[in-house]
Amino acid sequence: MTTDGDIRVRFAPSPTGEPHVGNLRTALFNWLFARRHGGTFVLRVEDTDRNRYVEDALGVILESLRWLGLEWDEGPEAGGPYAPYLQSQRLDIYHGITEDLVGRGLAYWCHCPRERLDRVRKERQRDGLPGGYDRHCRDLGLSGQGGEAGPVVRFKMALQGETVVDDLIRGRVGWDNGLLDDFIILKSDGFPTYHLANVVDDHIMRISHVLRAEEWLSSTPRHLQLYDALGYSPPLFGHLPMILGPDRAKLSKRHGSTSVLEYRSQGFLPEAMVNFMVLLGWSLDDKTDVICRDDVVESFSLERVGKGAAVFDLDRLQWMNGVYIRSLEDDDLAERMLPYLGRSGKGDRAYLRRIVPLVRQRLKTLAEAPEWTSYFFEEELAYDAAELVQKGMDLDSTLGALEAVLGVLEGVEEFSAGSLEGVLRAAGAELGLSGRKLFGAIRVAVTGRTASPPIFETMELLGRERCLGRIAGAIGRLEEQKAGSTGLPA
Ligand code: GLU
């Protein structure tokens, strides 16, 4: 019986590319399980496939885990922050164990050249025989010396019977041993295969629960037989459900699932990302969709991990991100917006902090911050003079209105939202213009856009000097336009 304190889980990524949402969902569920039970979360990098090794992938994996706040609890050396375990640095261990298996007649050297293997596989396929290899070298008692292609070591799978796993999520799953190959455990380059290194390390690292993606379920009978041969007691297994796109096809880039760090560049908050990923396979009940990480830690259980595929819905992530953005304190949101703003936006933090309450409702991602805030920082606004002219108005009436507004604003003593509203509404009444018309024109003049946060607050923040300058600028543009349309010099 495993007690809570003994719970040890691991995330075991292979550095073969940038980790995507599916990979990190596995990391997250392991992390949650460890935290829920006061257990240990181990990070082990499975870098034994040298053909698929991608140089920068490890850095991206670590960065993604850190961004999501999934810290791991131990490493090859004492004292944190920990480096991850790297299988490529543990080759001696796998070599010793391979020798032992060969010595005990449970594994064997195979010298079959590539061409033979290819031919045999095709023949077996044609004849409807299971597995790709015919066990040619199984009883030849070959050594590790010689051989054309460089020999490999294969594991002797049981020829009869059944291998069964009681999966924590999927229940009982069984395989007919006769259908399974003598798989390779040590490759000709001296590196172990995933199967061997994975089993050996899960044992040495005292992993109690293996929670991994469903695609690894088919490897489990091999692993169980290895555990048996090595005399190890296996961990418990739980295979997490697949993740599909909204069209129910396997999740891919096409569905907007890319490297997790790409979501950071796109302005998603790690809190929203975690909440979103938690729900890719787990649920608290049938209605809760916004649940913070600490609350998930309180209630995470494998019983509520579904068997059925989870569906990745980018719209939902976007919506959720908006929810989390709106819940941040002003200071916090300002800090998080900073990296997304252009140079002009980075200057004055106090100013940015005052802008935040005006724009937070509109932000779905942090990457939209420049779009909603740039006019607070830019010296020159880029817009087309025609946008100043509101529906039901023309160039002359707009010009007249803005000139009147300029005059009124010059006389305003306190440039606050309240007093601006008072004087501008009065000006509207005097000019006989509706709020839509007058404030629409002012909005374009001071922000350069047709939609903005509430106009009086926006003007207060922009301040007297900027507002007057911009309205004068708008008048200039209209005059230019007028001169151009009549063909007269301005
Ligand atoms: N290295 C495997 C992967 O890339 C680990 C699978 C497992 O967790 O056993 O996902």
Side-chain angles (χ1 to χ4, degrees):
M1 191 56 209
T2 325
T3 62
D4 269 10
D6 302 329
I7 298 246
R8 293 177 56 85
V9 289
R10 61 8 176 227
F11 175 47
S14 298
T16 53
E18 304 203 346
H20 51 75
V21 171
N23 302 128
L24 283 150
R25 193 268 317 250
T26 299
L28 175 61
F29 279 32
N30 278 284
W31 182 91
L32 286 167
F33 192 67
R35 293 295 173 267
R36 170 76 185 87
H37 296 284
T40 303
F41 176 59
V42 172
L43 175 61
R44 181 178 76 223
V45 178
E46 303 205 319
D47 55 349
T48 60
D49 188 344
R50 304 317 280 181
N51 295 324
R52 294 180 61 218
Y53 184 78
V54 173
E55 197 64 51
D56 305 329
L58 177 56
V60 182
I61 292 170
L62 301 184
E63 179 78 11
S64 305
L65 288 167
R66 288 193 190 110
W67 180 58
L68 294 171
L70 306 180
E71 67 282 2
W72 53 100
D73 305 322
E74 56 177 57
E77 264 138 60
Y82 297 103
Y85 292 105
L86 297 181
Q87 288 188 326
S88 57
Q89 293 180 0
R90 301 165 60 80
L91 297 183
D92 288 350
I93 300 176
Y94 314 123
H95 290 164
I97 284 173
T98 305
E99 258 169 50
D100 174 58
L101 284 172
V102 173
R104 290 195 289 131
L106 298 171
Y108 60 94
W109 286 98
C110 167
H111 287 235
C112 291
R114 180 85 271 147
E115 305 76 61
R116 173 168 199 284
L117 294 172
D118 288 344
R119 177 169 51 74
V120 168
R121 186 179 326 103
K122 284 197 197 114
E123 285 169 6
R124 292 178 71 84
Q125 246 166 21
R126 185 197 59 206
D127 301 340
L129 293 170
Y133 181 58
D134 60 359
R135 302 189 158 110
H136 177 262
C137 298
R138 183 166 165 126
D139 298 311
L140 297 184
L142 298 170
S143 77
Q145 305 305 313
E148 287 168 45
V152 300
V153 175
R154 290 181 184 270
F155 178 71
K156 287 189 182 170
M157 285 290 276
L159 300 176
Q160 278 136 25
E162 198 190 18
T163 303
V164 173
V165 62
D166 266 316
D167 192 273
L168 295 165
I169 294 160
R170 326 204 70 79
R172 183 185 186 281
V173 189
W175 292 265
D176 179 351
N177 291 336
L179 301 180
L180 300 167
D181 249 347
D182 284 356
F183 58 94
I184 296 175
I185 56 175
L186 189 74
K187 293 175 284 187
S188 55
D189 63 2
F191 278 82
T193 55
Y194 152 69
H195 301 299
L196 182 74
N198 186 271
V199 163
V200 165
D201 281 344
D202 279 347
H203 172 73
I204 295 176
M205 296 174 187
R206 305 195 321 283
I207 298 303
S208 61
H209 295 68
V210 168
L211 307 177
R212 61 185 173 195
E214 193 186 323
E215 59 181 301
W216 302 104
L217 181 61
S218 59
S219 296
T220 309
R222 298 192 174 90
H223 297 178
L224 285 171
Q225 290 205 24
L226 264 175
Y227 278 106
D228 200 35
L230 292 165
Y232 304 158
S233 62
L236 298 171
F237 291 92
H239 287 89
L240 306 173
M242 301 232 293
I243 304 176
L244 304 178
D247 57 358
R248 313 225 35 108
K250 191 172 186 291
L251 189 62
S252 72
K253 285 207 174 130
R254 192 163 49 85
H255 300 111
S257 162
T258 52
S259 160
V260 164
L261 291 185
E262 180 61 26
Y263 291 99
R264 178 174 69 179
S265 331
Q266 289 175 11
F268 289 92
L269 301 182
E271 294 94 323
M273 207 61 216
V274 163
N275 188 152
F276 175 73
M277 286 176 12
V278 157
L279 299 179
L280 292 173
W282 179 84
S283 58
L284 177 67
D285 47 38
D286 48 20
K287 51 181 191 298
T288 306
D289 43 22
V290 176
I291 176 164
C292 73
R293 201 175 78 161
D294 290 348
D295 289 345
V296 181
V297 167
E298 286 294 300
S299 38
F300 189 78
S301 76
L302 296 180
E303 284 81 59
R304 292 209 58 89
V305 174
K307 273 204 231 346
V311 175
F312 176 95
D313 178 355
L314 196 56
D315 291 340
R316 188 184 205 200
L317 171 60
Q318 251 149 6
W319 167 80
M320 208 168 259
N321 203 50
V323 171
Y324 277 88
I325 285 183
R326 288 192 289 279
S327 74
L328 292 178
E329 302 284 337
D330 290 343
D331 285 329
D332 192 3
L333 180 50
E335 280 306 307
R336 299 205 205 200
M337 278 162 66
L338 272 177
Y340 297 84
L341 296 176
R343 250 207 298 145
S344 57
K346 293 200 204 291
D348 185 345
R349 286 194 183 204
Y351 183 44
L352 177 61
R353 160 75 181 66
R354 290 173 63 213
I355 295 169
V356 162
L358 288 190
V359 299
R360 68 156 68 247
Q361 289 300 326
R362 295 161 190 269
L363 290 181
K364 281 196 299 302
T365 69
L366 297 173
E368 288 172 359
E371 185 185 326
W372 286 106
T373 62
S374 58
Y375 53 88
F376 285 105
F377 305 107
E378 281 160 3
E379 286 311 320
E380 287 292 318
L381 299 181
Y383 65 91
D384 193 356
E387 288 174 47
L388 290 162
V389 181
Q390 305 299 298
K391 209 163 155 216
M393 291 187 73
D394 58 16
L395 217 153
D396 281 322
S397 56
T398 307
L399 199 47
L402 287 179
E403 276 164 350
V405 164
L406 191 58
V408 167
L409 289 181
E410 272 162 356
V412 172
E413 289 200 355
E414 193 201 326
F415 213 81
S416 68
S419 64
L420 288 168
E421 174 157 15
V423 296
L424 291 175
R425 284 200 191 282
E430 203 151 302
L431 292 161
L433 290 176
S434 67
R436 180 188 62 75
K437 287 179 184 162
L438 184 63
F439 305 148
I442 296 176
R443 185 188 308 282
V444 175
V446 299
T447 70
R449 56 195 69 206
T450 50
S452 79
I455 187 66
F456 308 116
E457 279 84 356
T458 303
M459 290 175 76
E460 176 184 329
L461 253 181
L462 282 167
R464 179 192 302 271
E465 208 184 312
R466 271 207 190 91
C467 287
L468 293 184
R470 288 180 181 185
I471 292 171
I475 292 170
R477 286 181 196 223
L478 289 170
E479 279 170 346
E480 239 172 68
Q481 180 98 353
K482 195 171 159 184
S485 64
T486 56
L488 294 172

